[in-house]
Amino acid sequence: QLTTPKDHTKSPPKAQDDHNNIDTDARSNQSVTKGIDVVHTAISYGIAKLSEKEASFSMEDLLKESMTYALGHTTGDEIEKVIDEKRANGELLINDRHVTTKAIYELEKSIIDNISDGHSQVQSVVNELPSLREGLTQGQKDAISLALTTKDRFIGIQGLAGTGKTTMMKELREKVELYDYEIVGIAPTHKAVQMLDGSMNEKSSGERFRNAGIPVMTAHAFINQELDKYNDKTIFITDESSMIGNRLYHGIQEKTKSLNARTIFAGDIKQQAAIDQGKPQELSLNNGLKYASMNEIIRQRNSPILKKSAELAASGKASQSLTNLEKINPFDHIKRKDYYAGSTESFVEIAPDKDTQGNIILGDDDKPRYNNLYQAIANDYLTRVTEQRDHTVVIAKTHKSRAV
């Protein structure tokens, strides 16, 4: 009977050691590769999250988001090392701890290039400016004059809220139609519309065009549809341009060029900015986009106090704007079911809720609770006569407050 000695089943000592070393090295390499993959994925996550809404972000925020994603799997030093590699190969652009990506830079550069390349690329609507109707503000006249005489494919109108953009658009439409031009409106349709109560905000922009007798389409429809019927005799007006992000703004530019048409970007950069990445309207105004300014507020012209508050709010002085409203007596404007039901003050400050001992009550978020604020708002609203309630808007700071 033949037997196989046990020694014959074992590898020679040196071969066994080599085999073990190979296994160890393989596992080590896999671990290193996995670690590098985690770091790259974490940084990609951080960039994607931060660049979704902002064209640039701080190095601190990028490190924070990357570390949060890779918590327990890498170190801050490893993340900074890979970020330096991405800066070296041009994938990330970093200046004074501010970070952006090459793709974002190229997109914004293209927006600026479109502005520059569009200079003197179209025929002006008129060679000699026609007379404009009486009663227009200087800002309205400037906007109409620029639109009629420009030879640039893209121009802007920087108009504060309440400065009469609807009236300006109506006058512009009447003038360009005399020369066989057509005006078409473009309204924003991104997430900011939903944040400002969706249909109400969309209606606001659409109504402005309809009141001026101008057909309107959404920005996404403008970019994605075949629009062969529009040409070099078409003037597009993009309303609320400050609420449009880089990609959509650039898409409008490119579509305009493909139609050999022209676009007026109108809006107010001091109002709510785009939810999407970038501030292309502000970028364009600061980089060669010719524009007219409409600063004279006419919506509140019959009330000096309201007009002053509107001007303060438009200039970013919200606190002063509200303080100025204290001069108004609510009883001069608000009719109530019970004459004595409302406050005699236009500016009412509500204290936080307190318990029977006088201690401030905290909510689930450990912040002072203001249930009495909601009660005060409800009382003010419900004590108004029906026709005034129908024209009253309650503005809530957060979605949670709105739900209450």
Side-chain angles (χ1 to χ4, degrees), residues 44 46-58 62 90-93 98-113 245-247 250 276-280 283:
S44 296
I47 292 171
K49 181 175 180 179
L50 294 170
S51 65
E52 181 181 8
K53 298 181 180 180
E54 298 292 341
S56 67
F57 39 89
S58 69
L62 178 56
E91 187 177 340
L92 288 179
L93 307 178
H98 291 285
V99 185
T100 191
T101 68
K102 182 179 180 180
I104 294 174
Y105 170 81
E106 294 293 343
L107 179 59
E108 294 198 336
K109 181 177 183 299
S110 184
I111 289 173
I112 296 173
D113 288 344
N246 281 341
R247 296 182 186 88
H250 184 258
D276 295 331
Q277 170 204 109
K279 299 177 181 178
L283 178 73

Side-chain angles (χ1 to χ4, degrees), residues 15-30:
Q16 183 67 42
D17 290 343
D18 289 344
H19 180 73
N20 290 338
N21 289 336
I22 291 172
D23 284 347
T24 301
D25 290 343
R27 287 193 296 270
S28 178
N29 288 337
Q30 288 175 358

Side-chain angles (χ1 to χ4, degrees), residues 361-369 400:
I361 300 175
L362 301 181
D364 295 337
D365 56 0
D366 291 329
K367 295 181 179 179
R369 196 180 72 187
K400 181 180 179 181

Side-chain angles (χ1 to χ4, degrees), residues 145-401:
S145 299
L146 177 61
L148 293 176
T149 61
T150 186
K151 293 185 178 181
D152 292 353
R153 190 177 302 282
F154 304 107
I155 62 171
I157 296 175
Q158 166 57 24
L160 301 179
T163 54
K165 287 191 283 291
T166 301
T167 300
M168 178 275 296
M169 290 180 184
K170 183 176 181 180
E171 179 74 5
L172 177 60
R173 177 188 63 82
E174 292 174 355
K175 288 294 183 286
V176 302
E177 287 180 351
L178 295 175
Y179 299 90
D180 297 324
Y181 280 81
E182 177 185 14
I183 289 185
V184 177
I186 300 173
T189 57
H190 48 68
K191 295 178 183 177
V193 171
Q194 298 176 1
M195 288 186 64
L196 295 175
D197 205 14
S199 61
M200 183 179 71
N201 195 60
E202 185 176 350
K203 178 181 178 182
S204 173
S205 182
E207 284 297 327
R208 192 201 312 284
F209 288 122
R210 281 189 283 273
N211 289 339
I214 297 172
V216 60
M217 71 180 77
T218 66
H220 289 94
F222 172 69
I223 292 173
N224 297 318
Q225 290 181 8
E226 294 293 333
L227 302 172
D228 295 337
K229 65 178 180 178
Y230 300 121
N231 50 42
D232 60 344
K233 302 286 280 188
T234 306
I235 303 172
F236 295 102
I237 299 181
T238 302
D239 197 22
E240 307 294 359
S241 296
S242 64
M243 296 178 65
I244 295 177
N246 281 341
R247 296 182 186 88
L248 196 55
Y249 196 97
H250 184 258
I252 292 172
Q253 286 183 323
E254 293 297 313
K255 188 70 171 187
T256 301
K257 288 164 54 180
S258 72
L259 297 171
N260 196 28
R262 65 191 76 188
T263 289
I264 301 171
F265 289 101
D268 179 13
I269 59 174
K270 295 180 181 179
Q271 294 191 45
Q272 181 163 335
I275 296 299
D276 295 331
Q277 170 204 109
K279 299 177 181 178
Q281 179 71 347
E282 184 174 351
L283 178 73
S284 298
L285 294 178
N286 292 329
N287 288 276
L289 181 69
K290 296 176 185 176
Y291 67 95
S293 296
M294 296 175 57
N295 298 320
E296 185 178 344
I297 296 175
I298 59 177
R299 185 177 297 160
Q300 293 86 8
R301 59 186 167 189
N302 294 326
S303 172
I305 296 176
L306 287 177
K307 183 177 180 181
K308 181 63 176 178
S309 286
E311 291 170 346
L312 289 168
S315 61
K317 301 175 181 178
S319 179
Q320 295 181 40
S321 174
L322 291 173
T323 300
N324 186 63
L325 293 176
E326 293 182 15
K327 302 173 184 177
I328 296 178
N329 183 350
F331 285 85
D332 293 338
H333 303 274
I334 305 299
K335 294 181 180 179
R336 300 186 184 277
K337 299 175 182 178
D338 180 352
Y339 182 81
Y340 297 101
S343 171
T344 58
E345 304 292 334
S346 282
F347 189 89
V348 180
E349 186 171 356
I350 303 297
D353 298 349
K354 296 182 179 180
D355 60 23
T356 55
Q357 303 299 318
N359 300 313
I360 294 177
I361 300 175
L362 301 181
D364 295 337
D365 56 0
D366 291 329
K367 295 181 179 179
R369 196 180 72 187
Y370 284 91
N371 284 347
N372 50 354
L373 168 62
Y374 306 126
Q375 186 63 46
I377 293 173
N379 288 340
D380 185 282
Y381 179 82
L382 293 173
T383 56
R384 301 184 180 206
V385 296
T386 303
E387 56 268 29
Q388 290 205 339
R389 285 206 309 268
D390 293 341
H391 292 85
T392 298
V393 177
V394 178
I395 301 175
K397 180 180 178 180
T398 64
H399 288 296
K400 181 180 179 181
S401 297

